[in-house]
Amino acid sequence: MNVIDIHALTKKYRGNKAIHHLTLQIEENKITGLIGRNGAGKTTLLKMMAGFIKPSSGSVAVFGRNPFNNIQVSANMISIDDKMIFPTALNLAEVLKGAESFYPNWNKELAEGLFQYFTLDPKKYHNELSKGMKSTFNLIIGIASRCALTILDEPTSGMDSAVRKDFYRAILKDYIEYPRTIIMSSHLLSEVEDILEDILLIKDGQLKLHKPVEEMKELAIGLRGKTELIDQLIKDKEVIHRKSVGVAVSYVVVENTFLPARLEEAKDQGIELLPVSADDLCIYLTNKTVGGIDDVFSKH
């Protein structure tokens, strides 16, 4: 069953397309990573999924309904980001108590356990917290609510590395105990890769790819060797990334559609066959140029 169905979705701001003709589906009970560079359209897409803004054209359905100002969708969904605000008249303990009455699947014990683990002061107010502590409190709400659809937009903003790792583990452990659909946006795929099942990569508001993490790891191959031999090997391939690594030596990344015998032949010629991590592949696919930063210097 699909929790989210999007068809030909477009969102314009002053004539500029933040999301452009995007079509995709997200299945229930999966952790999907929404990956893209800053400005790629991640937040705009998530806000349309959450029903906070209307599309310019196309459609988005959540639980089979238009999410915009929809109480049925809102009752089964939570959206967490670093711009969340809470009533300034309530301290953190009172906010948690209020959340318990609002979310039917609220796990009080988990919320209190995380609150104590991260040493939050119950008498503090949300607007008094540092950026990292605000993100910590927001994520406690997001995890403990156990909503059928949980949207996390750059949820660990401002946290230090140790706290981020703890939260990724907390998300995974609670997901295993209580499966639901979680969409987490990030530009740090290397940190979240281990808890994701699917990767949704967008570039300039357009869908670049949507695949299981395991397929991503096998999608591309790195080749390093004499430029002349590399060029012959990849003459019918689309180059994802390329750079010079020495005199007449190149490193290229291409989609791995080679026959095994052809790769063995390449090895015999002295070409190195190298794995390409999902994180590196996402970086290469969202670069403006095939050579990345090296292309700037090659023109001078």
Side-chain angles (χ1 to χ4, degrees), residues 30-35 164-173 175-176 182 184 186 188-199 211-214 216-217 277-279 282:
K30 277 193 173 184
I31 303 180
T32 297
L34 177 59
I35 309 300
R164 292 199 304 268
K165 289 178 181 178
D166 276 341
F167 260 115
Y168 296 141
R169 184 162 179 79
I171 290 169
L172 181 59
K173 287 180 72 67
Y175 168 78
I176 292 171
I182 299 175
M184 181 189 307
S186 178
L188 298 172
L189 178 58
S190 58
E191 285 197 355
V192 299
E193 181 180 341
D194 290 342
I195 71 171
L196 301 179
E197 294 169 88
D198 286 359
I199 291 176
K211 291 183 177 293
V213 173
E214 294 307 312
M216 281 280 293
K217 293 177 180 178
S277 70
D279 186 42
C282 286

Side-chain angles (χ1 to χ4, degrees), residues 154-265:
E154 299 284 358
T156 58
S157 177
M159 294 182 185
D160 63 38
S161 178
V163 176
R164 292 199 304 268
K165 289 178 181 178
D166 276 341
F167 260 115
Y168 296 141
R169 184 162 179 79
I171 290 169
L172 181 59
K173 287 180 72 67
D174 197 57
Y175 168 78
I176 292 171
E177 181 179 345
Y178 195 92
R180 63 266 208 192
T181 302
I182 299 175
I183 305 172
M184 181 189 307
S185 80
S186 178
H187 56 272
L188 298 172
L189 178 58
S190 58
E191 285 197 355
V192 299
E193 181 180 341
D194 290 342
I195 71 171
L196 301 179
E197 294 169 88
D198 286 359
I199 291 176
L200 176 60
L201 180 67
I202 63 173
K203 178 183 179 182
D204 299 329
Q206 296 180 291
L207 181 64
K208 197 69 180 175
L209 60 81
H210 186 185
K211 291 183 177 293
V213 173
E214 294 307 312
E215 286 188 23
M216 281 280 293
K217 293 177 180 178
E218 305 296 330
L219 182 63
I221 187 170
L223 306 166
R224 182 166 58 197
K226 293 182 179 179
T227 301
E228 181 181 358
L229 295 176
I230 292 288
D231 288 345
Q232 181 64 28
L233 179 62
I234 65 170
K235 61 183 179 181
D236 59 342
K237 307 289 184 187
E238 181 180 352
V239 177
I240 298 171
H241 176 72
R242 180 176 193 134
K243 68 177 179 179
S244 296
V245 291
V247 178
V249 176
S250 295
Y251 169 74
V252 301
V253 175
V254 296
E255 188 174 353
N256 189 9
T257 55
F258 294 101
L259 294 173
R262 186 69 183 96
L263 290 178
E264 286 299 320
E265 182 182 337

Side-chain angles (χ1 to χ4, degrees), residues 58-129:
S59 65
V60 53
V62 178
F63 307 122
R65 301 172 181 270
N66 181 345
F68 185 70
N69 284 345
N70 189 304
I71 190 65
Q72 286 89 355
V73 172
S74 297
N76 292 283
M77 182 274 300
I78 188 168
S79 179
I80 302 294
D81 62 32
D82 63 356
K83 295 179 176 60
M84 292 185 72
I85 57 174
F86 294 93
T88 55
L90 302 180
N91 61 33
L92 299 184
E94 291 168 334
V95 171
L96 285 184
K97 187 173 181 61
E100 181 180 0
S101 63
F102 188 80
Y103 296 107
N105 297 323
W106 180 261
N107 188 313
K108 180 180 179 181
E109 292 75 19
L110 176 60
E112 291 177 348
L114 291 172
F115 194 89
Q116 293 170 9
Y117 179 83
F118 291 108
T119 62
L120 286 160
D121 183 348
K123 296 181 180 179
K124 280 273 191 180
Y125 292 82
H126 190 264
N127 61 334
E128 298 175 334
L129 301 177

